Amino acid sequence: MSTATASQSHGWSDRSWRDLTVRFAVGLAFADASIVVLALPQIVGQLNTTISHVVWVIMAYNLALIVGVLAFLAAAGRLGSRRALLAGLGLFGLASLGCGVANNLELLVAMRCVQGLGGALLLCASLPLLAGVARPGDSPTAEWAAAAAIGAAIGPAAGGLLTQVFDWRAIFFTQAPAAAIAVVAVLAAPDHSFRSVTDEGEKRRDLGPGLANVALTLLSAGLIGALFLEVVLLIDVWKLEPIAAAGVVSAIPIATIVLERVARGRSPLLFGSVGAALLAVGLFAIGFVSHRQVGWMVFALLLCGAGLGLAFTTLSDAAMSGPGSAITRAGRTSAAREAGLVLGLLIITPVFVHDLDRARNRATPPIAKAVVSAQLPAAPKAELIQGLLKISDNLPPGELPDLDPAFDPVRAKVDARTASGLTALQNRIQDTIERTVTRSFRRSLLYCAVFALLVLPVLSLRLIHLRRRRVMAVR
């Protein structure tokens, strides 16, 4: 091999490594908004909080990222892209350690805010750095959009796996070394190889950045159904272990990874519309599940992942194609996406908690009937009723009951036959609760589907504009 060829090969290897590092950082930042969802039930238990409060573990990150993006854009001229990426990764990694050692919800939320600020820095800096290492013919915005879509999709499955094998804190303790590896990779690369790009982005003929960002916000709001609600359903209601739930949720990144490659460089109007429709259909399908149907859930999540791969990739690419520096384009697109997640959580969470409480009330009469009609001795039955009433009285809003504290003490005092009857009764009550509560997710999931469907009229505005231009051109 000649010296020139060896140098070229070595340069390609360095460029590919830097390209992978930046894309990894983008994926890490976007995954962090969703990576904790499968750990939320465990966080609720260990930090003695509620579902409605633990949502702030997600929302704090999103809000801080938006604020961080706006602040960084104002000071972007004084901080180069490479330094911003290093600062973002460092802040993100240190905050991850802080999240891992948090022993109360307040400290965890505070550290998530710091993580969001770090995420803002690295997301804003990542697009110009990707442009600096892109190969001829490659689109940096398409690569950025693809990394963002994959990161958002893979977050829940990765978080569920870590939660099952270790603990919810492992999610954050794993993020810290991941950020450190990215820092080392950036420092190892020559400074000139990370050149900033400040020229205008590629002009998209069929969709401008304004409408693309609006559509991206609505799409992200709809994703709350696939990335949050269905996780609560799998773990809290269907009682799947985190690793089993991660296996179900992995349908999303599998479909996203396959479809995002198909969508790269394609029309955001066409693929954004098809993707939003697929996401809505998937959410509708989840919303009409009436009991534990894992196979149907996997199918619905495959549709959601396909929609994410098609729409998120093309809309993000279009949103970053307008005028302004690469930092500005990456910043506003990141803010639009996080604003959608916040919007979805703010609207869906109170609806979800309200419907969950109503479901508990609807389940009370059939549960009472099952207990009263159970063929059990009077004394154990009376003690069981007292235990169930105590659980009901002390149950926080938006939480599901754990029946073991009522059944276990009674079961320990009776003979084998009565214990068997108690177990059968507990299973019947659990099935009643599961079916009733599963149906209570319907309204929230349908709201998320409506968010996804609202992408279609937004994109149709551009179609109307293009049609008018054609008519004027003919005249």
Side-chain angles (χ1 to χ4, degrees):
M1 181 183 294
S2 67
T3 304
T5 304
S7 176
Q8 184 179 15
S9 175
H10 179 67
W12 183 92
S13 177
D14 286 346
R15 180 175 57 191
S16 299
W17 174 247
R18 295 191 298 274
D19 177 74
L20 180 63
T21 299
V22 179
R23 279 192 283 175
F24 173 75
V26 174
L28 184 66
F30 275 105
D32 198 72
S34 59
I35 197 171
V36 297
V37 291
L38 275 169
L40 292 183
Q42 195 177 95
I43 295 175
V44 167
Q46 291 190 15
L47 299 186
N48 297 315
T49 183
T50 64
I51 291 178
S52 56
H53 289 154
V54 83
V55 166
W56 282 98
V57 175
I58 300 175
M59 197 145 58
Y61 178 84
N62 302 137
L63 288 171
L65 195 147
I66 294 171
V67 172
V69 164
L70 296 177
F72 178 67
L73 291 182
R78 285 173 285 211
L79 185 63
S81 296
R82 190 188 194 207
R83 284 188 295 169
L85 181 62
L86 288 170
L89 286 168
L91 198 60
F92 186 92
L94 291 174
S96 298
L97 294 176
C99 290
V101 300
N103 56 7
N104 57 68
L105 184 63
E106 292 76 13
L107 179 57
L108 179 57
V109 169
M111 288 296 99
R112 289 285 285 168
C113 289
V114 179
Q115 267 194 319
L117 295 176
L121 284 170
L122 68 90
L123 284 176
C124 288
S126 56
L127 180 59
L129 295 180
L130 271 177
V133 298
R135 290 184 290 271
D138 286 351
S139 169
T141 57
E143 295 291 335
W144 192 97
I150 293 171
I154 208 169
L161 182 62
L162 289 169
T163 301
Q164 176 73 40
V165 176
F166 301 105
D167 180 76
W168 68 266
R169 299 178 189 277
I171 293 173
F172 300 109
F173 288 139
T174 303
Q175 288 177 331
I181 291 171
V183 167
V184 171
V186 174
L187 289 174
D191 186 62
H192 64 80
S193 66
F194 285 120
R195 67 181 188 275
S196 294
V197 178
T198 57
D199 59 332
E200 292 192 355
E202 178 186 358
K203 299 292 185 181
R204 297 287 177 189
R205 290 179 296 173
D206 59 355
L207 186 63
L211 284 179
N213 275 317
V214 172
L216 195 59
T217 298
L218 293 170
L219 187 77
S220 297
L223 278 173
I224 291 299
L227 299 180
F228 173 65
L229 291 178
E230 57 86 20
V231 169
V232 177
L233 179 62
L234 291 174
I235 294 182
D236 275 1
V237 183
W238 293 3
K239 302 300 181 183
L240 297 186
E241 293 292 329
I243 195 166
V248 175
V249 175
S250 65
I252 297 178
I254 289 172
T256 299
I257 291 170
V258 171
L259 271 296
E260 65 86 11
R261 288 208 159 269
V262 176
R264 289 191 193 186
R266 305 283 185 162
S267 164
L269 274 179
L270 175 60
F271 283 76
S273 299
V274 172
L278 284 174
L279 175 60
V281 170
L283 292 170
F284 273 119
I286 300 172
F288 284 94
V289 169
S290 60
H291 57 283
R292 187 183 303 197
Q293 296 173 291
V294 175
W296 180 256
M297 179 68 80
V298 170
F299 170 72
L301 291 179
L302 284 172
L303 292 177
C304 292
L308 177 60
L310 294 176
F312 196 94
T313 303
T314 52
L315 291 175
S316 296
D317 193 12
M320 293 187 293
S321 64
S325 69
I327 289 176
T328 300
R329 287 181 274 132
R332 71 188 178 206
T333 302
S334 301
R337 186 260 185 187
E338 301 301 323
L341 294 176
V342 171
L343 174 66
L345 285 170
L346 286 175
I347 292 177
I348 298 304
T349 301
V351 174
F352 163 67
V353 172
H354 175 265
D355 290 350
L356 197 59
D357 290 336
R358 288 184 60 191
R360 284 172 20 186
N361 295 333
R362 286 197 303 270
T364 299
I367 291 174
K369 182 179 179 180
V371 173
V372 170
S373 61
Q375 299 299 313
L376 296 171
K381 183 183 291 189
E383 184 179 352
L384 176 63
I385 291 173
Q386 289 179 351
L388 291 173
L389 289 174
K390 183 178 180 181
I391 290 174
S392 178
D393 291 340
N394 296 328
L395 194 62
E399 295 298 306
L400 297 177
D402 178 9
L403 302 178
D404 289 341
F407 277 88
D408 288 347
V410 181
R411 195 158 29 221
K413 300 175 184 177
V414 298
D415 57 68
R417 182 177 178 182
T418 304
S420 177
L422 284 167
T423 300
L425 175 60
Q426 182 175 359
N427 290 337
R428 284 201 304 274
I429 293 175
Q430 197 67 57
D431 183 66
T432 299
I433 294 173
E434 180 181 301
R435 288 176 176 270
T436 305
V437 174
T438 295
R439 289 192 290 270
S440 74
F441 281 69
R442 183 167 300 169
R443 187 162 68 123
S444 299
L445 285 162
L446 294 184
Y447 280 12
C448 290
V450 169
F451 276 127
L453 287 177
L454 286 175
V455 172
L456 302 182
V458 169
L459 297 183
S460 70
L461 293 175
R462 181 59 177 171
L463 284 175
I464 294 171
H465 176 70
L466 290 174
R467 184 172 296 178
R468 285 178 178 173
R469 286 180 58 184
R470 293 192 189 102
V471 171
M472 294 296 295
V474 171
R475 290 178 180 176

